[in-house]
Amino acid sequence: MERTSLHDLEAVLAIARRGTFRAAAIDLGMSTTALSHAIGKLETHLGVRLFNRTTRSVSLTDAGRQFVEQVGPALHDIHGALEAVRSQRETPSGTLRINAAAFAARDIMSPLVLEFLRRYPDMNVDLVTEGRLVDIVAEGFDLGVRVANLVPSDMIAVPLGRPQRYAVVGSPLYFENHRKPRVPPDLLKHQCVRVRLPDGTLYRWQFEKAGETAQIDVRGPITLDEASLARAAVMGNIGLGYFMEQDVQPDIEAGRLVRVLADWTPPLPGLCLYYPGRRHHSAGMKAFLALAREVAERGPDRQSPAGRNRRRH
């Protein structure tokens, strides 16, 4: 009798979680064809269909839904047992899956992720960026990275000690033809790059000064949902943009962009790593958390040890 492997069970959960064979195959590191073949063999072995498939969609059958509801928690317990054993290893190895907002991923890449990989060459990091806030347990991630006030209350948070701040910027050429705004309502007289959130709504630019707050529904000729595209539009003199400060700071310092309304964009809660409690952590997870605390204690203005060592030689 053919046995069902953990990989087969993980494949079913991945498809149920992601909604398509293609997305699940990417998560699992295999081809769509191989994944479809594996699910077909499993369904034949079980004698029932787990998924309804059309050329455009994939959905769970009633049997598939029952299968996922029962197998999901059991597989989570199995992985917990495996992690408990792996945690006894002295040398970190394996893969850490991290979910982060795009700006947060950029913020932690050099001081934390790359430094981690330099220290622990047997480790791999799978870093997924997306705007929506996901359930990292249900989506199969080890860690999340979000602004502190977005971390779910049932998670353990590790502050990274890096305050966040927004910046309103425009190109020097744009300001040759337009007067700089002095207060947020002045933005209604300007062309602005509008921002679309993951849920489809348009973002209102947020401001605060001395206890006074303002939310401005800016106007402009273009609406975008990706920071690098918005930056390109602003650099192309289309209008003003609203960015995380760290994304445009080099351009401000180099004179490629001009910042305005700086006194209306105070520091916001910093970034946090977060993860579920009540589970055993692998050696790699423990090492990553230890480095995160080390980076937070060093502060945002100090280089990583590797960076300082390179500069000495």
Side-chain angles (χ1 to χ4, degrees):
M1 180 177 177
E2 186 178 350
R3 294 183 178 180
T4 301
S5 70
L6 287 180
H7 293 298
D8 293 334
L9 303 181
E10 289 171 342
V12 174
L13 296 181
I15 298 167
R17 180 175 67 243
R18 299 287 278 160
T20 69
F21 274 71
R22 183 175 180 275
I26 292 172
D27 282 356
L28 296 169
M30 61 193 302
S31 70
T32 304
T33 300
L35 177 58
S36 181
H37 180 66
I39 294 299
K41 287 181 61 178
L42 177 60
E43 289 177 327
T44 299
H45 173 61
L46 294 174
V48 295
R49 294 187 65 82
L50 300 175
F51 296 98
N52 293 313
R53 305 172 180 81
T54 69
T55 56
R56 296 186 178 182
S57 67
V58 175
S59 62
L60 287 166
T61 64
D62 289 341
R65 191 173 298 106
Q66 181 180 1
F67 186 83
V68 167
E69 290 174 353
Q70 294 182 358
V71 167
L75 194 57
H76 184 270
D77 290 342
I78 292 172
H79 282 303
L82 293 174
E83 287 178 2
V85 174
R86 292 191 188 107
S87 68
Q88 304 305 311
R89 290 174 55 99
E90 294 183 359
T91 303
S93 64
T95 299
L96 279 182
R97 298 195 71 229
I98 304 172
N99 184 281
F103 76 87
R106 288 190 291 269
D107 197 53
I108 68 170
M109 177 60 72
S110 179
L112 181 51
V113 175
L114 298 185
E115 176 64 20
F116 177 72
L117 294 174
R118 282 190 289 263
R119 290 191 186 188
Y120 306 104
D122 292 333
M123 288 296 306
N124 298 303
V125 172
D126 182 1
L127 179 58
V128 177
T129 61
E130 53 189 323
R132 68 188 181 101
L133 186 63
V134 305
D135 181 336
I136 61 171
V137 175
E139 298 280 346
F141 292 98
D142 300 294
L143 294 155
V145 187
R146 287 294 189 278
V147 174
N149 57 4
L150 293 180
V151 174
S153 59
D154 60 343
M155 294 285 164
I156 297 175
V158 179
L160 294 176
R162 305 171 74 83
Q164 304 299 300
R165 193 180 182 193
Y166 285 107
V168 179
V169 295
S171 70
L173 182 58
Y174 178 85
F175 284 121
E176 287 182 10
N177 301 305
H178 300 83
R179 181 178 298 179
K180 294 180 180 178
R182 295 179 179 274
V183 293
D186 289 346
L187 291 169
L188 297 176
K189 304 173 185 176
H190 287 263
Q191 298 278 72
C192 296
V193 177
R194 308 185 81 189
V195 177
R196 188 178 302 282
L197 297 173
D199 64 2
T201 60
L202 293 175
Y203 181 70
R204 292 186 175 187
W205 295 11
Q206 311 284 324
F207 299 96
E208 181 181 351
K209 180 180 179 181
E212 181 181 354
T213 62
Q215 297 184 18
I216 308 299
D217 189 6
V218 297
R219 304 161 186 163
I222 189 169
T223 301
L224 299 167
D225 62 0
E226 208 286 318
S228 64
L229 294 177
R231 176 182 169 278
V234 174
M235 296 286 282
N237 313 310
I238 290 298
L240 303 182
Y242 186 81
F243 302 93
M244 296 305 300
E245 182 182 59
Q246 63 266 36
D247 288 347
V248 292
Q249 190 63 38
D251 295 313
I252 296 171
E253 294 174 354
R256 295 185 291 268
L257 292 175
V258 177
R259 185 172 190 172
V260 295
L261 299 174
D263 56 335
W264 280 90
T265 53
L268 301 170
L271 292 175
C272 284
L273 282 175
Y274 64 94
Y275 58 93
R278 294 179 296 180
R279 62 188 300 183
H280 294 281
H281 296 145
S282 66
M285 177 80 158
K286 291 177 180 177
F288 192 85
L289 293 173
L291 178 58
R293 294 184 176 96
E294 179 184 323
V295 168
E297 291 174 0
R298 274 205 307 264
D301 298 324
R302 295 178 60 186
Q303 289 183 319
S304 68
R308 293 196 299 273
N309 291 338
R310 283 195 298 273
R311 191 169 66 174
R312 289 194 189 104
H313 292 295

